[in-house]
Amino acid sequence: MSATRLTARRAAAVTALAATTVLLAAGAASAHVTVHPESYAKGATDGVLTFRVPNEEDKAFTTKVQVFLPTDHPVLGVLVHPQDGWTAKVTTTKLKTPVKTDDGTITEAASEITFSGGKIGAGEYEDFDVAFGQLPDDTDQLAFKTLQTYSDGKVVRWIEEPTGGDEPENPAPVLKLTAGDAGAVPAPAKTAAATAKATDAGDSTARGLGIAGLVVGVLGLAAAAFALVRGRAARS
């Protein structure tokens, strides 16, 4: 194989690699439903959980969010925060195993919270705040399986629980429960300003990777062109 053809092939390979890098950077920007803070102490009392729901569709908006609370390790004393444009419905269920507390025995607990009536547009997110009276102290984590319904009828099921390996495709929001002071208040969820700043930083990184990929691609093409011209000149 001639040096000219070898150089051209290498340049093409570099260009393809650069394009792949750009695509991977764009794919890493997807988001999913999360719960904040990420952890609480076991048995924590009088706290707030924030469920952050991003809209991932370009041509549809989110119209309903259903958060399912575990009843094998129930969250007690659930209250929802009024949300402009949204209606919240709390469904309770009878517990298989009643929970004994200082205020008596609890036989029912919230099993589902449905937020409807509002909308989350493309490129937007909504925070839904849920207060609790007490978290369980007999488990290491709580998974809040969530269904997200869009205006076009699509339903995204955020129900997959992590198994210790790679993050599943549609992970459920998971709250870690740690040993510690149940009365301690964890760090609050990121504010909108902090989230916007982090998003801008992520966008800047993605743009930087894209520009770097394009530069490498251009250099690869330039190298190929130079090699072809040099080869023709040598044969003249």
Side-chain angles (χ1 to χ4, degrees):
M1 181 181 294
S2 67
T4 299
R5 290 183 179 179
L6 180 60
T7 302
R9 287 193 177 187
R10 287 177 177 173
V14 170
T15 303
L17 178 60
T20 301
T21 301
V22 173
L23 291 175
L24 289 176
S30 62
H32 50 78
V33 178
T34 53
V35 60
H36 303 274
E38 296 179 350
S39 66
Y40 255 109
K42 292 181 179 181
T45 57
D46 300 326
V48 176
L49 298 174
T50 299
F51 293 91
R52 179 160 296 173
V53 182
N55 190 93
E56 295 184 316
E57 296 293 321
D58 295 329
K59 299 181 180 179
F61 47 85
T62 298
T63 58
K64 183 167 67 173
V65 178
Q66 296 164 268
V67 180
F68 296 88
L69 288 69
T71 55
D72 53 345
H73 302 287
V75 178
L76 306 180
V78 167
L79 296 173
V80 294
H81 186 276
Q83 197 87 353
D84 289 343
W86 293 87
T87 298
K89 177 184 177 182
V90 179
T91 300
T92 60
T93 189
K94 190 174 182 64
L95 299 175
K96 292 182 179 180
T97 305
V99 179
K100 293 182 179 181
T101 70
D102 294 338
D103 297 324
T105 300
I106 306 297
T107 59
E108 291 186 347
S111 58
E112 179 186 345
I113 305 174
T114 299
F115 300 94
S116 60
K119 68 177 183 179
I120 307 172
E124 299 176 347
Y125 72 91
E126 190 78 62
D127 280 347
F128 298 96
D129 292 337
V130 176
F132 62 84
Q134 183 174 335
L135 295 177
D137 59 5
D138 56 352
T139 185
D140 294 328
Q141 66 178 31
L142 296 175
F144 298 96
K145 297 181 179 182
T146 303
L147 301 185
Q148 181 177 8
T149 301
Y150 285 91
S151 56
D152 60 1
K154 179 180 179 181
V155 178
V156 180
R157 299 168 60 84
W158 303 104
I159 62 173
E160 298 176 339
E161 299 185 37
T163 57
D166 295 335
E167 183 178 72
E169 182 177 356
N170 293 313
V174 173
L175 176 70
K176 301 291 185 182
L177 296 180
T178 61
D181 182 4
V185 179
K190 291 182 179 179
T191 62
T195 301
K197 183 177 180 180
T199 301
D200 291 341
D203 291 343
S204 298
T205 301
R207 286 195 295 269
L209 289 172
I211 293 172
L214 292 175
V215 170
V216 172
V218 171
L219 291 176
L221 292 174
F226 176 75
L228 290 173
V229 171
R230 187 176 64 178
R232 289 177 181 176
R235 290 195 297 270
S236 299

PDB file of all heavy atoms in Angstrom, residues 121-151:
ATOM      1  N   GLY A 121     -42.956  21.836  29.630  1.00  0.00           N
ATOM      2  CA  GLY A 121     -42.617  21.979  28.227  1.00  0.00           C
ATOM      3  C   GLY A 121     -41.240  21.441  27.879  1.00  0.00           C
ATOM      4  O   GLY A 121     -40.468  21.028  28.751  1.00  0.00           O
ATOM      5  N   ALA A 122     -40.940  21.448  26.596  1.00  0.00           N
ATOM      6  CA  ALA A 122     -39.641  20.980  26.107  1.00  0.00           C
ATOM      7  C   ALA A 122     -38.528  21.823  26.704  1.00  0.00           C
ATOM      8  O   ALA A 122     -38.617  23.052  26.765  1.00  0.00           O
ATOM      9  CB  ALA A 122     -39.595  21.053  24.579  1.00  0.00           C
ATOM     10  N   GLY A 123     -37.490  21.154  27.192  1.00  0.00           N
ATOM     11  CA  GLY A 123     -36.357  21.856  27.787  1.00  0.00           C
ATOM     12  C   GLY A 123     -36.627  22.395  29.171  1.00  0.00           C
ATOM     13  O   GLY A 123     -35.852  23.205  29.684  1.00  0.00           O
ATOM     14  N   GLU A 124     -37.731  21.961  29.799  1.00  0.00           N
ATOM     15  CA  GLU A 124     -38.091  22.449  31.130  1.00  0.00           C
ATOM     16  C   GLU A 124     -38.177  21.291  32.125  1.00  0.00           C
ATOM     17  O   GLU A 124     -38.169  20.128  31.742  1.00  0.00           O
ATOM     18  CB  GLU A 124     -39.442  23.182  31.089  1.00  0.00           C
ATOM     19  CG  GLU A 124     -39.461  24.395  30.190  1.00  0.00           C
ATOM     20  CD  GLU A 124     -40.837  25.048  30.105  1.00  0.00           C
ATOM     21  OE1 GLU A 124     -41.815  24.413  30.536  1.00  0.00           O
ATOM     22  OE2 GLU A 124     -40.921  26.176  29.610  1.00  0.00           O
ATOM     23  N   TYR A 125     -38.262  21.637  33.405  1.00  0.00           N
ATOM     24  CA  TYR A 125     -38.468  20.626  34.440  1.00  0.00           C
ATOM     25  C   TYR A 125     -39.378  21.203  35.507  1.00  0.00           C
ATOM     26  O   TYR A 125     -39.598  22.420  35.577  1.00  0.00           O
ATOM     27  CB  TYR A 125     -37.142  20.173  35.063  1.00  0.00           C
ATOM     28  CG  TYR A 125     -36.497  21.194  35.971  1.00  0.00           C
ATOM     29  CD1 TYR A 125     -36.779  21.215  37.345  1.00  0.00           C
ATOM     30  CD2 TYR A 125     -35.603  22.148  35.478  1.00  0.00           C
ATOM     31  CE1 TYR A 125     -36.202  22.159  38.182  1.00  0.00           C
ATOM     32  CE2 TYR A 125     -35.016  23.088  36.305  1.00  0.00           C
ATOM     33  CZ  TYR A 125     -35.318  23.096  37.646  1.00  0.00           C
ATOM     34  OH  TYR A 125     -34.747  24.036  38.476  1.00  0.00           O
ATOM     35  N   GLU A 126     -39.909  20.334  36.342  1.00  0.00           N
ATOM     36  CA  GLU A 126     -40.761  20.762  37.455  1.00  0.00           C
ATOM     37  C   GLU A 126     -40.310  20.038  38.714  1.00  0.00           C
ATOM     38  O   GLU A 126     -39.961  18.853  38.667  1.00  0.00           O
ATOM     39  CB  GLU A 126     -42.220  20.417  37.158  1.00  0.00           C
ATOM     40  CG  GLU A 126     -43.213  21.017  38.134  1.00  0.00           C
ATOM     41  CD  GLU A 126     -43.485  22.493  37.859  1.00  0.00           C
ATOM     42  OE1 GLU A 126     -43.984  22.818  36.769  1.00  0.00           O
ATOM     43  OE2 GLU A 126     -43.167  23.313  38.745  1.00  0.00           O
ATOM     44  N   ASP A 127     -40.304  20.756  39.840  1.00  0.00           N
ATOM     45  CA  ASP A 127     -39.999  20.160  41.141  1.00  0.00           C
ATOM     46  C   ASP A 127     -41.294  19.978  41.928  1.00  0.00           C
ATOM     47  O   ASP A 127     -42.061  20.938  42.101  1.00  0.00           O
ATOM     48  CB  ASP A 127     -39.054  21.066  41.943  1.00  0.00           C
ATOM     49  CG  ASP A 127     -37.602  20.918  41.514  1.00  0.00           C
ATOM     50  OD1 ASP A 127     -37.285  19.956  40.784  1.00  0.00           O
ATOM     51  OD2 ASP A 127     -36.781  21.761  41.904  1.00  0.00           O
ATOM     52  N   PHE A 128     -41.545  18.759  42.394  1.00  0.00           N
ATOM     53  CA  PHE A 128     -42.722  18.459  43.192  1.00  0.00           C
ATOM     54  C   PHE A 128     -42.259  18.122  44.618  1.00  0.00           C
ATOM     55  O   PHE A 128     -41.536  17.145  44.824  1.00  0.00           O
ATOM     56  CB  PHE A 128     -43.490  17.274  42.598  1.00  0.00           C
ATOM     57  CG  PHE A 128     -44.011  17.531  41.204  1.00  0.00           C
ATOM     58  CD1 PHE A 128     -43.303  17.107  40.095  1.00  0.00           C
ATOM     59  CD2 PHE A 128     -45.209  18.206  41.018  1.00  0.00           C
ATOM     60  CE1 PHE A 128     -43.783  17.331  38.814  1.00  0.00           C
ATOM     61  CE2 PHE A 128     -45.701  18.446  39.735  1.00  0.00           C
ATOM     62  CZ  PHE A 128     -44.979  18.014  38.630  1.00  0.00           C
ATOM     63  N   ASP A 129     -42.679  18.933  45.584  1.00  0.00           N
ATOM     64  CA  ASP A 129     -42.260  18.748  46.974  1.00  0.00           C
ATOM     65  C   ASP A 129     -43.272  17.909  47.753  1.00  0.00           C
ATOM     66  O   ASP A 129     -44.482  18.157  47.689  1.00  0.00           O
ATOM     67  CB  ASP A 129     -42.094  20.101  47.662  1.00  0.00           C
ATOM     68  CG  ASP A 129     -40.920  20.897  47.107  1.00  0.00           C
ATOM     69  OD1 ASP A 129     -40.001  20.263  46.544  1.00  0.00           O
ATOM     70  OD2 ASP A 129     -40.940  22.131  47.218  1.00  0.00           O
ATOM     71  N   VAL A 130     -42.737  16.926  48.482  1.00  0.00           N
ATOM     72  CA  VAL A 130     -43.566  16.045  49.294  1.00  0.00           C
ATOM     73  C   VAL A 130     -42.980  16.006  50.709  1.00  0.00           C
ATOM     74  O   VAL A 130     -41.823  15.611  50.900  1.00  0.00           O
ATOM     75  CB  VAL A 130     -43.613  14.614  48.718  1.00  0.00           C
ATOM     76  CG1 VAL A 130     -44.410  13.697  49.636  1.00  0.00           C
ATOM     77  CG2 VAL A 130     -44.216  14.633  47.311  1.00  0.00           C
ATOM     78  N   ALA A 131     -43.764  16.433  51.699  1.00  0.00           N
ATOM     79  CA  ALA A 131     -43.311  16.394  53.088  1.00  0.00           C
ATOM     80  C   ALA A 131     -43.655  15.042  53.691  1.00  0.00           C
ATOM     81  O   ALA A 131     -44.625  14.393  53.299  1.00  0.00           O
ATOM     82  CB  ALA A 131     -43.955  17.516  53.889  1.00  0.00           C
ATOM     83  N   PHE A 132     -42.849  14.611  54.656  1.00  0.00           N
ATOM     84  CA  PHE A 132     -43.118  13.348  55.341  1.00  0.00           C
ATOM     85  C   PHE A 132     -42.985  13.536  56.844  1.00  0.00           C
ATOM     86  O   PHE A 132     -42.274  14.422  57.322  1.00  0.00           O
ATOM     87  CB  PHE A 132     -42.179  12.234  54.859  1.00  0.00           C
ATOM     88  CG  PHE A 132     -40.717  12.493  55.133  1.00  0.00           C
ATOM     89  CD1 PHE A 132     -40.159  12.191  56.372  1.00  0.00           C
ATOM     90  CD2 PHE A 132     -39.892  13.031  54.158  1.00  0.00           C
ATOM     91  CE1 PHE A 132     -38.817  12.424  56.638  1.00  0.00           C
ATOM     92  CE2 PHE A 132     -38.549  13.279  54.410  1.00  0.00           C
ATOM     93  CZ  PHE A 132     -38.002  12.971  55.649  1.00  0.00           C
ATOM     94  N   GLY A 133     -43.684  12.661  57.581  1.00  0.00           N
ATOM     95  CA  GLY A 133     -43.583  12.699  59.034  1.00  0.00           C
ATOM     96  C   GLY A 133     -42.460  11.821  59.543  1.00  0.00           C
ATOM     97  O   GLY A 133     -41.757  12.181  60.486  1.00  0.00           O
ATOM     98  N   GLN A 134     -42.270  10.664  58.877  1.00  0.00           N
ATOM     99  CA  GLN A 134     -41.209   9.753  59.303  1.00  0.00           C
ATOM    100  C   GLN A 134     -40.848   8.793  58.175  1.00  0.00           C
ATOM    101  O   GLN A 134     -41.715   8.265  57.482  1.00  0.00           O
ATOM    102  CB  GLN A 134     -41.647   8.954  60.536  1.00  0.00           C
ATOM    103  CG  GLN A 134     -40.565   8.034  61.092  1.00  0.00           C
ATOM    104  CD  GLN A 134     -40.990   7.363  62.386  1.00  0.00           C
ATOM    105  OE1 GLN A 134     -41.838   7.871  63.119  1.00  0.00           O
ATOM    106  NE2 GLN A 134     -40.409   6.215  62.681  1.00  0.00           N
ATOM    107  N   LEU A 135     -39.549   8.562  58.027  1.00  0.00           N
ATOM    108  CA  LEU A 135     -39.039   7.578  57.075  1.00  0.00           C
ATOM    109  C   LEU A 135     -38.805   6.253  57.801  1.00  0.00           C
ATOM    110  O   LEU A 135     -38.588   6.235  59.014  1.00  0.00           O
ATOM    111  CB  LEU A 135     -37.730   8.056  56.447  1.00  0.00           C
ATOM    112  CG  LEU A 135     -37.791   9.297  55.560  1.00  0.00           C
ATOM    113  CD1 LEU A 135     -36.393   9.678  55.080  1.00  0.00           C
ATOM    114  CD2 LEU A 135     -38.713   9.065  54.369  1.00  0.00           C
ATOM    115  N   PRO A 136     -38.824   5.139  57.096  1.00  0.00           N
ATOM    116  CA  PRO A 136     -38.571   3.842  57.747  1.00  0.00           C
ATOM    117  C   PRO A 136     -37.125   3.733  58.210  1.00  0.00           C
ATOM    118  O   PRO A 136     -36.224   4.407  57.679  1.00  0.00           O
ATOM    119  CB  PRO A 136     -38.884   2.831  56.634  1.00  0.00           C
ATOM    120  CG  PRO A 136     -38.682   3.589  55.371  1.00  0.00           C
ATOM    121  CD  PRO A 136     -39.115   4.981  55.645  1.00  0.00           C
ATOM    122  N   ASP A 137     -36.897   2.868  59.194  1.00  0.00           N
ATOM    123  CA  ASP A 137     -35.541   2.674  59.715  1.00  0.00           C
ATOM    124  C   ASP A 137     -35.057   1.237  59.517  1.00  0.00           C
ATOM    125  O   ASP A 137     -34.027   0.843  60.070  1.00  0.00           O
ATOM    126  CB  ASP A 137     -35.467   3.045  61.199  1.00  0.00           C
ATOM    127  CG  ASP A 137     -36.441   2.208  62.046  1.00  0.00           C
ATOM    128  OD1 ASP A 137     -37.096   1.290  61.495  1.00  0.00           O
ATOM    129  OD2 ASP A 137     -36.543   2.472  63.257  1.00  0.00           O
ATOM    130  N   ASP A 138     -35.809   0.461  58.709  1.00  0.00           N
ATOM    131  CA  ASP A 138     -35.472  -0.957  58.547  1.00  0.00           C
ATOM    132  C   ASP A 138     -35.060  -1.323  57.117  1.00  0.00           C
ATOM    133  O   ASP A 138     -35.186  -2.456  56.688  1.00  0.00           O
ATOM    134  CB  ASP A 138     -36.661  -1.829  58.960  1.00  0.00           C
ATOM    135  CG  ASP A 138     -37.928  -1.486  58.183  1.00  0.00           C
ATOM    136  OD1 ASP A 138     -37.928  -0.479  57.431  1.00  0.00           O
ATOM    137  OD2 ASP A 138     -38.926  -2.232  58.324  1.00  0.00           O
ATOM    138  N   THR A 139     -34.576  -0.324  56.354  1.00  0.00           N
ATOM    139  CA  THR A 139     -34.108  -0.584  54.997  1.00  0.00           C
ATOM    140  C   THR A 139     -33.008   0.413  54.652  1.00  0.00           C
ATOM    141  O   THR A 139     -32.864   1.454  55.319  1.00  0.00           O
ATOM    142  CB  THR A 139     -35.263  -0.482  53.979  1.00  0.00           C
ATOM    143  OG1 THR A 139     -34.784  -0.862  52.676  1.00  0.00           O
ATOM    144  CG2 THR A 139     -35.809   0.938  53.914  1.00  0.00           C
ATOM    145  N   ASP A 140     -32.225   0.080  53.619  1.00  0.00           N
ATOM    146  CA  ASP A 140     -31.098   0.948  53.236  1.00  0.00           C
ATOM    147  C   ASP A 140     -31.448   1.917  52.115  1.00  0.00           C
ATOM    148  O   ASP A 140     -30.688   2.840  51.834  1.00  0.00           O
ATOM    149  CB  ASP A 140     -29.899   0.096  52.798  1.00  0.00           C
ATOM    150  CG  ASP A 140     -29.322  -0.715  53.950  1.00  0.00           C
ATOM    151  OD1 ASP A 140     -29.385  -0.235  55.094  1.00  0.00           O
ATOM    152  OD2 ASP A 140     -28.813  -1.824  53.704  1.00  0.00           O
ATOM    153  N   GLN A 141     -32.569   1.699  51.447  1.00  0.00           N
ATOM    154  CA  GLN A 141     -32.955   2.616  50.385  1.00  0.00           C
ATOM    155  C   GLN A 141     -34.443   2.472  50.059  1.00  0.00           C
ATOM    156  O   GLN A 141     -35.070   1.464  50.368  1.00  0.00           O
ATOM    157  CB  GLN A 141     -32.138   2.371  49.107  1.00  0.00           C
ATOM    158  CG  GLN A 141     -32.390   1.033  48.439  1.00  0.00           C
ATOM    159  CD  GLN A 141     -31.583   0.866  47.165  1.00  0.00           C
ATOM    160  OE1 GLN A 141     -30.478   1.389  47.038  1.00  0.00           O
ATOM    161  NE2 GLN A 141     -32.123   0.155  46.202  1.00  0.00           N
ATOM    162  N   LEU A 142     -34.981   3.508  49.450  1.00  0.00           N
ATOM    163  CA  LEU A 142     -36.367   3.512  49.004  1.00  0.00           C
ATOM    164  C   LEU A 142     -36.399   3.847  47.520  1.00  0.00           C
ATOM    165  O   LEU A 142     -35.795   4.840  47.089  1.00  0.00           O
ATOM    166  CB  LEU A 142     -37.188   4.543  49.780  1.00  0.00           C
ATOM    167  CG  LEU A 142     -37.357   4.339  51.287  1.00  0.00           C
ATOM    168  CD1 LEU A 142     -38.089   5.539  51.891  1.00  0.00           C
ATOM    169  CD2 LEU A 142     -38.104   3.051  51.579  1.00  0.00           C
ATOM    170  N   ALA A 143     -37.082   3.025  46.734  1.00  0.00           N
ATOM    171  CA  ALA A 143     -37.241   3.278  45.301  1.00  0.00           C
ATOM    172  C   ALA A 143     -38.649   3.802  45.058  1.00  0.00           C
ATOM    173  O   ALA A 143     -39.637   3.178  45.471  1.00  0.00           O
ATOM    174  CB  ALA A 143     -36.993   2.006  44.497  1.00  0.00           C
ATOM    175  N   PHE A 144     -38.746   4.958  44.412  1.00  0.00           N
ATOM    176  CA  PHE A 144     -40.042   5.574  44.124  1.00  0.00           C
ATOM    177  C   PHE A 144     -40.320   5.424  42.625  1.00  0.00           C
ATOM    178  O   PHE A 144     -39.961   6.304  41.832  1.00  0.00           O
ATOM    179  CB  PHE A 144     -40.036   7.050  44.530  1.00  0.00           C
ATOM    180  CG  PHE A 144     -39.807   7.283  45.990  1.00  0.00           C
ATOM    181  CD1 PHE A 144     -38.530   7.558  46.469  1.00  0.00           C
ATOM    182  CD2 PHE A 144     -40.850   7.216  46.903  1.00  0.00           C
ATOM    183  CE1 PHE A 144     -38.298   7.775  47.825  1.00  0.00           C
ATOM    184  CE2 PHE A 144     -40.635   7.435  48.254  1.00  0.00           C
ATOM    185  CZ  PHE A 144     -39.361   7.710  48.719  1.00  0.00           C
ATOM    186  N   LYS A 145     -40.927   4.321  42.254  1.00  0.00           N
ATOM    187  CA  LYS A 145     -41.225   4.095  40.840  1.00  0.00           C
ATOM    188  C   LYS A 145     -42.173   5.191  40.345  1.00  0.00           C
ATOM    189  O   LYS A 145     -43.123   5.569  41.040  1.00  0.00           O
ATOM    190  CB  LYS A 145     -41.835   2.717  40.643  1.00  0.00           C
ATOM    191  CG  LYS A 145     -40.869   1.592  41.022  1.00  0.00           C
ATOM    192  CD  LYS A 145     -41.475   0.217  40.794  1.00  0.00           C
ATOM    193  CE  LYS A 145     -40.467  -0.873  41.165  1.00  0.00           C
ATOM    194  NZ  LYS A 145     -40.999  -2.237  40.922  1.00  0.00           N
ATOM    195  N   THR A 146     -41.892   5.687  39.136  1.00  0.00           N
ATOM    196  CA  THR A 146     -42.609   6.857  38.634  1.00  0.00           C
ATOM    197  C   THR A 146     -43.034   6.660  37.182  1.00  0.00           C
ATOM    198  O   THR A 146     -42.266   6.136  36.372  1.00  0.00           O
ATOM    199  CB  THR A 146     -41.720   8.114  38.731  1.00  0.00           C
ATOM    200  OG1 THR A 146     -41.308   8.300  40.102  1.00  0.00           O
ATOM    201  CG2 THR A 146     -42.455   9.347  38.267  1.00  0.00           C
ATOM    202  N   LEU A 147     -44.267   7.081  36.869  1.00  0.00           N
ATOM    203  CA  LEU A 147     -44.760   7.080  35.497  1.00  0.00           C
ATOM    204  C   LEU A 147     -44.919   8.529  35.042  1.00  0.00           C
ATOM    205  O   LEU A 147     -45.490   9.355  35.748  1.00  0.00           O
ATOM    206  CB  LEU A 147     -46.108   6.364  35.391  1.00  0.00           C
ATOM    207  CG  LEU A 147     -46.158   4.897  35.836  1.00  0.00           C
ATOM    208  CD1 LEU A 147     -47.544   4.314  35.548  1.00  0.00           C
ATOM    209  CD2 LEU A 147     -45.091   4.069  35.136  1.00  0.00           C
ATOM    210  N   GLN A 148     -44.389   8.820  33.855  1.00  0.00           N
ATOM    211  CA  GLN A 148     -44.444  10.168  33.297  1.00  0.00           C
ATOM    212  C   GLN A 148     -45.238  10.121  31.992  1.00  0.00           C
ATOM    213  O   GLN A 148     -44.841   9.465  31.037  1.00  0.00           O
ATOM    214  CB  GLN A 148     -43.022  10.695  33.044  1.00  0.00           C
ATOM    215  CG  GLN A 148     -42.963  12.106  32.493  1.00  0.00           C
ATOM    216  CD  GLN A 148     -41.516  12.575  32.334  1.00  0.00           C
ATOM    217  OE1 GLN A 148     -40.576  11.803  32.491  1.00  0.00           O
ATOM    218  NE2 GLN A 148     -41.337  13.847  32.019  1.00  0.00           N
ATOM    219  N   THR A 149     -46.375  10.833  31.959  1.00  0.00           N
ATOM    220  CA  THR A 149     -47.254  10.803  30.787  1.00  0.00           C
ATOM    221  C   THR A 149     -47.111  12.093  29.987  1.00  0.00           C
ATOM    222  O   THR A 149     -47.118  13.196  30.558  1.00  0.00           O
ATOM    223  CB  THR A 149     -48.723  10.630  31.222  1.00  0.00           C
ATOM    224  OG1 THR A 149     -48.848   9.410  31.966  1.00  0.00           O
ATOM    225  CG2 THR A 149     -49.637  10.557  30.006  1.00  0.00           C
ATOM    226  N   TYR A 150     -47.010  11.944  28.653  1.00  0.00           N
ATOM    227  CA  TYR A 150     -46.851  13.093  27.761  1.00  0.00           C
ATOM    228  C   TYR A 150     -48.161  13.400  27.025  1.00  0.00           C
ATOM    229  O   TYR A 150     -49.076  12.575  26.970  1.00  0.00           O
ATOM    230  CB  TYR A 150     -45.738  12.816  26.745  1.00  0.00           C
ATOM    231  CG  TYR A 150     -44.352  12.915  27.321  1.00  0.00           C
ATOM    232  CD1 TYR A 150     -43.719  11.796  27.852  1.00  0.00           C
ATOM    233  CD2 TYR A 150     -43.667  14.129  27.354  1.00  0.00           C
ATOM    234  CE1 TYR A 150     -42.440  11.877  28.393  1.00  0.00           C
ATOM    235  CE2 TYR A 150     -42.393  14.226  27.889  1.00  0.00           C
ATOM    236  CZ  TYR A 150     -41.783  13.101  28.401  1.00  0.00           C
ATOM    237  OH  TYR A 150     -40.522  13.186  28.934  1.00  0.00           O
ATOM    238  N   SER A 151     -48.225  14.587  26.450  1.00  0.00           N
ATOM    239  CA  SER A 151     -49.435  15.047  25.768  1.00  0.00           C
ATOM    240  C   SER A 151     -49.763  14.226  24.532  1.00  0.00           C
ATOM    241  O   SER A 151     -50.908  14.232  24.071  1.00  0.00           O
ATOM    242  CB  SER A 151     -49.286  16.531  25.379  1.00  0.00           C
ATOM    243  OG  SER A 151     -48.116  16.731  24.589  1.00  0.00           O
TER     244      SER A 151
END
